[in-house]
Amino acid sequence: MTTVELLWNGLAAFLTLCIFSFLYKDNPFYKFAEQLVAGVALGYWTMLLYHTTFTDKVLIPIFQQGKLHYILPTIMGIMMWTRFSKKLAYLSRIAIAFYIGVGTGVALPLYMYNYVFRQLQATVVPLQFSWLGLNSLLMVSFVTCTLFYFFFSKEHKGTFGGLSKVGIYTLMAGFGASFGLTVMGRVALLVQRIIFLREYFIALFGS
Amino acid sequence: MIRFKIRLALILISASVLLLFGYISSPGQELEAPPEPLPAPPTNVVISDDPNDDGHTTIVSWQLSRDDGAGLNNVMAYEIFRSTSPEGEFLQVGVMGKGLDSYIDRGEKEKTRNGEPNPRYIGAGIDYYYKMRAKSTTGTYSEFSELVVGQAKNNWYHTGKTNIMIAVLIFSGLVIYFITAAKRGKELYVRPIAGIDAVDESIGRATEMGRPILFVLGTGTAADLATIAGYTILARVAKMTADYQTKVLVPVNEPVMLAVAQETVKSAYMEAGRPDMYDEQNIFYVTAMQFPFVAAVCGLMIREQTATNFYMGIFHAESLILAETGAITGAIQISGTDQLAQLPFFIAATDYTLIGEELYAASGYLSKEALLLGPVKAQDYAKVILLTLLGLAVITWSFGWGFFKSLISTIS
C-alpha cells in the first residue's frame, strides 16, 4: 500500500469506525461522520443534477441541438421556483400536479402488468393428482387466501376471517424467508467492511 | 528370453522402416491440404418490423443454409450485418447459432454517442440494409446473402397488452362508479386497519411526552404511488399535530417531495385553523443520496428524541436502519410500504405495519372522502373479478382448455 493509499484508506477506516460508534451511543465522532457524509452527498448530488439534468436536458437540447420543444418542460421547471414568491406560488402547484399526474398515469398500466397480470399468469398452473399437483393446489389456495386478507369491504369474521388469517400466515412465511435472505446479504456486507479494516491495520502495523 | 529379444528386434525394425518411409514421403515441404468446401449462405432474408415496439427494433428472418443440418453439415452460426446504405460500412449486429432462422435486432435509441453518430442506433422510417453469411465449424465463411432492405416502425398500439387496457378501463369505470356513489351519499364501508387506528394514540402519546413526531416519506420519488399515499397520511397526522400543538418533523430526500410535503402540512394546519403554528423549517430537504439521508435521519431521531416515527412510502435497504434506531429511542413506530423486500424489516422492528395495499386503503379509511374511498372499493371489486378469473383459468387449464388462461396472458 502506497503512502497516499494508506492516507485515504486511513480516512475511510476512521469514518467507518465513527459510524460504527453509533452502536454504542450518539457521540461527536458519529455526528462528524454523519454531517460530513450528508454535506458531501448534497454537494455531489447538486453538481450531478446540474450536469445530467440542466446541461444534458436543457442547455444542450435547446441551445446546441435546437430542440425548441424542450422549452415547455423547462418552463414547468421554472414554475417550481415560483414557490418562493407569495404572489406566484400557485404556479408551482400546476407543475407539481403535472409531475405527479404523469407519474401516476404511467404507473397504472405498469402496475397492472407487473403486479396483477404477470402474477396471475404465474399462478395459473394445472391441478393434477401428483406431488406437483398438490404444490399447485397449495399455491393457488394461499394466493386466494392472501387476496382475502386484502379485501377491505368486509369485516374479517367467521369463515372469511379464517381464510384471511391463512392469508396473513402465508404472508408472514414469505416475509420470514425474505428476512433471512436479506440478513445474510447484510452480514456479507459487514464481513466485507471488517476485512477492509483488518487489511488496513495489517498494512499499518504489520501482521 | 529369446522370444522377447526377437519381439523387441521386430518392433525396432518396424519403427525404423516406418520412420524411413515417413522421411521419404515428406521431402522437406508440406503437402497442400485440399481446399475446404465453404458452406452455402442463408437465403430468402427478410426484414420486418417488430410489431409491438417504439420503432427501434427490426426482425431479421431467413431460410437456413442448405449445409445447416444437411448437405456438408458444417454450419456453426449465422452472422448478421447492418448498414444505412448499400455501399456503406456494414456493422455486425448479431450472431445466431445453427438451426435458428430469425434474429431480433434491438437497436439503441440514442442517435449520437459522445458527439459521434451511434452505429447501433435504429430509428423509425429509416432504410436499413442487411446481409448475412454462414460460418462453418472450421471458421470459414460462406458468401454473403443478397442485400435486403427494411425499416422499423413506431407502433402506437401494443397488440399483446389489449387485456391490460381492458382491465385498466374496467378498473377506471369501477373507480368512477364508486366515487359517484359515495358523493351521492352511499355509505362505503372500509374495515378497520390496525396500523391506522394506532395513529391517534401515537400522536396523543407524543403530545403527552412533549416530544416531536417524525414523518419519513421514504426514499422514492414524489410521484411514486406509495409516496402519494404517504402524503394523505401526513395530512391527517399534520392536522392532528396542529390540534395538539405538537411539532412534526419531515425530512425529505427529493426537491419535489419537499414542495409537496410543505404544501400538505401547510394545508393541514390551515384546515385545523392553526396556520400560525406552521413552520416551514420543520419540513426540510436533507440529500438525495440514500445512506447519507439515513445517517441524518437517524441522528435526528436520537437528538430530537422523537416520540412517534412514521415511515410511509417507498423504502429500500435503509428500512431496518431507520426502524432499529427508532426502536432504540423508544418511539412508537408505524410503517407502511409496498416494497415487498422491506416489509419483513418493518414488521420485525416497528409496532404497526401497513402491508402493501393497506397503505393505499389507509388514505381512504382516514379521510372518509368519496375521492379516496371510491378507489378502495373499486380495488375490492377488481379483486373479486380477478379471483374469479384465476379460479376459472386454473380449473379449465387443468382440463386442457386454455381460453381463460389466454385472457390473462400478456406479451412483454
Side-chain angles (χ1 to χ4, degrees), chain B residues 175-251:
Chain B
V175 169
I176 293 166
Y177 170 76
F178 282 109
I179 288 175
T180 315
K183 277 185 176 172
R184 283 183 185 157
K186 189 179 177 186
E187 200 174 315
L188 301 177
Y189 172 79
V190 174
R191 73 167 165 85
I193 301 166
I196 286 303
D197 285 341
V199 169
D200 297 4
E201 178 200 328
S202 62
I203 295 172
R205 180 176 178 265
T207 309
E208 280 170 18
M209 294 172 85
R211 289 195 206 162
I213 289 166
L214 176 75
F215 201 106
V216 186
L217 283 161
T219 51
T221 69
D224 285 323
L225 296 182
T227 316
I228 294 169
Y231 299 141
T232 319
I233 298 166
L234 172 63
R236 162 79 169 192
V237 169
K239 196 178 168 199
M240 286 190 72
T241 55
D243 285 335
Y244 295 163
Q245 300 184 27
T246 307
K247 190 159 86 170
V248 59
L249 299 167
V250 190

Side-chain angles (χ1 to χ4, degrees), chain B residues 139-349:
Chain B
T140 56
Y141 294 98
S142 71
E143 297 285 317
F144 276 107
S145 64
E146 272 181 42
L147 201 62
V148 285
V149 64
Q151 286 186 350
K153 284 178 190 160
N154 203 343
N155 306 112
W156 286 91
Y157 186 78
H158 194 305
T159 52
K161 291 183 178 171
T162 304
N163 48 3
I164 292 179
M165 188 186 71
I166 294 168
V168 169
L169 287 175
I170 292 173
F171 181 66
S172 305
L174 284 171
V175 169
I176 293 166
Y177 170 76
F178 282 109
I179 288 175
T180 315
K183 277 185 176 172
R184 283 183 185 157
K186 189 179 177 186
E187 200 174 315
L188 301 177
Y189 172 79
V190 174
R191 73 167 165 85
I193 301 166
I196 286 303
D197 285 341
V199 169
D200 297 4
E201 178 200 328
S202 62
I203 295 172
R205 180 176 178 265
T207 309
E208 280 170 18
M209 294 172 85
R211 289 195 206 162
I213 289 166
L214 176 75
F215 201 106
V216 186
L217 283 161
T219 51
T221 69
D224 285 323
L225 296 182
T227 316
I228 294 169
Y231 299 141
T232 319
I233 298 166
L234 172 63
R236 162 79 169 192
V237 169
K239 196 178 168 199
M240 286 190 72
T241 55
D243 285 335
Y244 295 163
Q245 300 184 27
T246 307
K247 190 159 86 170
V248 59
L249 299 167
V250 190
V252 297
N253 77 321
E254 204 213 13
V256 182
M257 202 189 284
L258 173 72
V260 181
Q262 283 181 341
E263 286 291 329
T264 307
V265 176
K266 195 176 174 182
S267 306
Y269 273 66
M270 287 174 79
E271 208 179 310
R274 299 303 306 264
D276 54 304
M277 274 200 65
Y278 172 67
D279 184 359
E280 205 173 69
Q281 302 300 316
N282 288 338
I283 302 114
F284 53 93
Y285 176 75
V286 181
T287 171
M289 291 183 89
Q290 185 188 11
F291 287 110
F293 172 76
V294 175
V297 174
C298 289
L300 190 74
M301 283 183 207
I302 298 285
R303 270 154 242 149
E304 294 281 342
Q305 285 293 305
T306 51
T308 306
N309 299 336
F310 291 92
Y311 311 108
M312 301 285 168
I314 289 195
F315 289 86
H316 302 98
E318 71 281 358
S319 60
L320 189 60
I321 304 172
L322 290 172
E324 275 299 321
T325 310
I328 290 169
T329 63
I332 283 193
Q333 303 198 92
I334 303 175
S335 56
T337 185
D338 59 0
Q339 298 295 296
L340 276 178
Q342 305 311 321
L343 277 167
F345 298 115
F346 276 147
I347 289 169

